[in-house]
């Protein structure tokens, strides 16, 4: 393709030319700070979640550092119209998270407000979750959660204003006795997750596990 020749895909770290289906070159992959968490055991994400809400299990693919490669990857997905990054992250997640014990019943993703969805053109979590749904054979209920208020992006705020943020979410269907895997991009203060989890747990027969692309360290 002429465009591929004129504008080749380049590694986010060293800028070398790579395949259009890659984010970083093989040499730079070790620069990504993968978490190596065990979904079923205690880990930093699970411990932070437990301070806010009941959680079964938790997994973060990467650690999110302000000057790190994981930050560049997430920002390509969220702010640079690179929806394909979601599929690559999902493939990396599926390689590292395989369910050896009980696996969730349903994948659900943090929704965007309609205004933000229209502006961005896609929800950065949908291709990620849809790809994982195929890997794991777990349905992704894409419209289970609804965001009712419009907020400035968390990544664009300082930590003080993140703590002050309040979210207004609702569920679109009353499901009973399900184990949900709630998916988001970056776990920062946990405000978003906290609001959603307690909405889902209004039905006490439900259970929650957490998956994020990265945890803010």
């Amino acid at each position: 393709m002429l465009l591929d020749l004129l504008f080749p895909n380049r590694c986010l770290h060293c800028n070398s030319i790579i395949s259009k289906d890659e984010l970083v070159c093989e040499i730079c992959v070790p620069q990504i700070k993968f978490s190596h968490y065990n979904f079923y055991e205690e880990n930093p994400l699970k411990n932070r979640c437990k301070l806010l809400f009941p959680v079964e299990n938790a997994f973060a693919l990467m650690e999110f550092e302000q000057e790190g490669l994981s930050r560049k990857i997430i920002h390509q997905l969220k702010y640079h119209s690179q929806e394909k990054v979601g599929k690559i992250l999902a493939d990396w997640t599926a390689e590292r998270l395989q369910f050896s014990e009980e696996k969730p019943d349903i994948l659900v993703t943090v929704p965007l407000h309609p205004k933000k969805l229209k502006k961005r053109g896609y929800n950065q979590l949908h291709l990620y979750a849809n790809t994982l749904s195929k890997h794991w054979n777990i349905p992704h209920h894409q419209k289970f959660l609804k965001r009712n208020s419009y907020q400035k992006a968390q990544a664009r705020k300082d930590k003080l204003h993140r703590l002050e943020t309040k979210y207004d979410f609702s569920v679109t269907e009353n499901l009973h006795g399900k184990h949900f895997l709630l998916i988001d991009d970056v776990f920062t203060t946990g405000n978003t997750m906290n609001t959603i989890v307690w909405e889902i747990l209004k039905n006490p027969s439900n259970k929650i596990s957490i998956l994020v692309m990265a945890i803010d360290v």
Side-chain angles (χ1 to χ4, degrees), residues 135-209:
H135 276 297
W136 293 332
N137 194 28
I138 301 174
H140 171 209
H141 197 329
Q142 188 168 303
K143 296 183 178 180
F144 177 70
L145 295 168
K146 179 182 178 182
R147 187 188 291 254
N148 302 312
S149 57
Y150 184 76
Q151 299 286 348
K152 182 180 177 182
Q154 285 284 83
R156 307 284 184 172
K157 298 180 180 180
D158 58 39
K159 290 193 174 182
L160 176 62
H161 287 93
R162 288 178 193 171
L163 289 169
E164 293 173 348
T165 300
K166 294 186 181 298
Y167 294 90
D168 183 15
F169 295 93
S170 58
V171 299
T172 61
E173 188 177 348
N174 190 15
L175 298 180
H176 301 261
K178 299 297 183 180
H179 183 177
F180 293 87
L181 183 61
L182 176 58
I183 299 172
D184 202 1
D185 44 40
V186 181
F187 187 98
T188 51
T189 64
N191 285 354
T192 304
M193 290 281 189
N194 185 46
T195 306
I196 292 174
V197 167
W198 286 111
E199 189 67 28
I200 294 174
L201 293 183
K202 284 181 179 178
N203 188 316
S205 65
N206 289 330
K207 298 189 295 186
I208 301 286
S209 288

Side-chain angles (χ1 to χ4, degrees), residues 38-41 46 55-59 97-107 136-138 176-181 205-210:
N38 186 313
F39 181 69
Y40 296 104
E41 296 178 359
K46 184 174 181 179
V55 61
E56 299 297 314
N57 304 295
F59 181 84
L97 174 53
Q98 298 174 5
F99 299 107
S100 58
E101 301 174 27
E102 177 190 357
K103 73 177 184 179
D105 301 307
I106 301 173
L107 309 181
W136 293 332
N137 194 28
I138 301 174
H176 301 261
K178 299 297 183 180
H179 183 177
F180 293 87
L181 183 61
S205 65
N206 289 330
K207 298 189 295 186
I208 301 286
S209 288
I210 299 298

Side-chain angles (χ1 to χ4, degrees), residues 24-80:
V24 296
C25 67
E26 292 184 4
I27 294 174
C28 293
V29 167
Q31 301 301 316
I32 302 172
K33 197 163 184 181
F34 290 108
S35 72
H36 305 293
Y37 293 169
N38 186 313
F39 181 69
Y40 296 104
E41 296 178 359
E42 299 297 312
N43 61 61
L45 175 59
K46 184 174 181 179
N47 291 336
R48 285 168 65 176
C49 288
K50 285 165 65 175
L51 296 174
L52 301 170
F53 50 78
V55 61
E56 299 297 314
N57 304 295
F59 181 84
L61 175 64
M62 303 177 291
E63 293 185 353
F64 188 87
E65 298 176 310
Q66 287 306 312
E67 302 303 324
L69 187 49
S70 60
R71 180 179 183 272
K72 292 182 182 178
I73 291 170
I74 297 294
H75 280 213
Q76 285 293 309
L77 174 64
K78 295 182 69 173
Y79 306 120
H80 297 282

